[in-house]
Every structure is written in C-alpha cells, then in structure tokens.
Amino acid sequence: MTQHDEGKEKLGKIEIAPEVIEVITAIATQEVEGVAELKSTFAEGVVEKLGRKNYSKGVKVEITDEGIMIDIFVMVDFGVSIPKVGVEIQNHVRKQLETMASLEPKSIDVHITGVQFSEQTE
C-alpha cells in the first residue's frame, strides 16, 4: 500500500494491507469518547454469528489512484454532541494512521447510524 524511503539504503518496499487500515481505524474510533459502537454490515454480522471476531466492523476502506477513502459507521451515546464526536473520530483516526502507518487518508467520512440510550438500573 505504501512505500517508505527512510534510511540511506533502499531495501525494498513496505506494503500495508487495507485490512490493517480498517483495524487501526476501528480501534481508533472506539477510543473516542461518545462512541457507543461501530455498526456492522449484514455480511459482517453473519461472520460474527459464525464465531469469528471482526476487528474492522463498521469500517470500509477504499484505495484508489486518488488516495485512501475511509467510511466509518457508528452509533453514538445519547446526549453527546454528534458533530463534535464526528470531528473527534476524524481527527483521532487521521492521527493514528499517520503515527502507526505513515498514511494520510484523502477522506474520512463518519456516518452516524443511531443513538444508543444507556440502561438505567434502579
């Protein structure tokens, strides 16, 4: 996916699989305060029901000649500022991808799919 030229000798290229970008994005998203959960697609839900852990649930990465485009599907906690959480997700994902993989995505689109209410116990 990406090539690094650090150091004086060029030993070869380093490729980062799209699945790695998805996992980094999903974990970074879950670290943002106000995020209730990432929403899975139908296919991801089937995989989870078969007992496989899906670490990239709710994230779609598309790599084109134009760059890396990321879509994140998330539910937020009731009472949070939805625009603020969305911007925090974008900033945190961008920072983590730059730090961990030296990648700069062209776009990070956050799709708020719902609001989760906390259960109150009496």
Side-chain angles (χ1 to χ4, degrees):
M1 166 64 255
T2 185
Q3 185 173 343
H4 300 275
D5 295 322
E6 295 177 10
K8 294 181 180 179
E9 298 178 31
K10 187 173 181 180
L11 300 175
K13 64 181 179 176
I14 299 170
E15 291 187 358
I16 300 172
E19 294 81 11
V20 173
I21 298 169
E22 290 174 350
V23 170
I24 292 170
T25 299
I27 292 171
T29 298
Q30 292 170 335
E31 291 174 344
V32 173
E33 190 172 330
V35 171
E37 66 180 78
L38 288 159
K39 291 303 290 178
S40 59
T41 64
F42 176 76
E44 290 169 339
V46 170
V47 168
E48 284 186 341
K49 289 191 188 301
L50 294 174
R52 294 188 182 144
K53 184 72 175 157
N54 185 2
Y55 293 102
S56 61
K57 172 174 96 169
V59 177
K60 178 183 167 209
V61 172
E62 185 177 349
I63 300 172
T64 66
D65 293 337
E66 296 176 24
I68 302 168
M69 286 156 294
I70 300 172
D71 286 287
I72 304 169
F73 300 88
V74 65
M75 286 185 64
V76 297
D77 293 324
F78 178 77
V80 300
S81 169
I82 294 173
K84 182 179 176 187
V85 171
V87 169
E88 287 178 18
I89 291 169
Q90 290 172 322
N91 291 335
H92 193 56
V93 167
R94 181 175 305 279
K95 179 182 174 191
Q96 291 301 317
L97 286 171
E98 288 174 354
T99 300
M100 295 180 69
S102 296
L103 296 175
E104 293 185 31
K106 180 178 183 211
S107 67
I108 301 171
D109 296 325
V110 178
H111 307 272
I112 307 298
T113 61
V115 176
Q116 183 169 319
F117 299 91
S118 62
E119 294 181 21
Q120 295 180 348
T121 56
E122 293 183 32

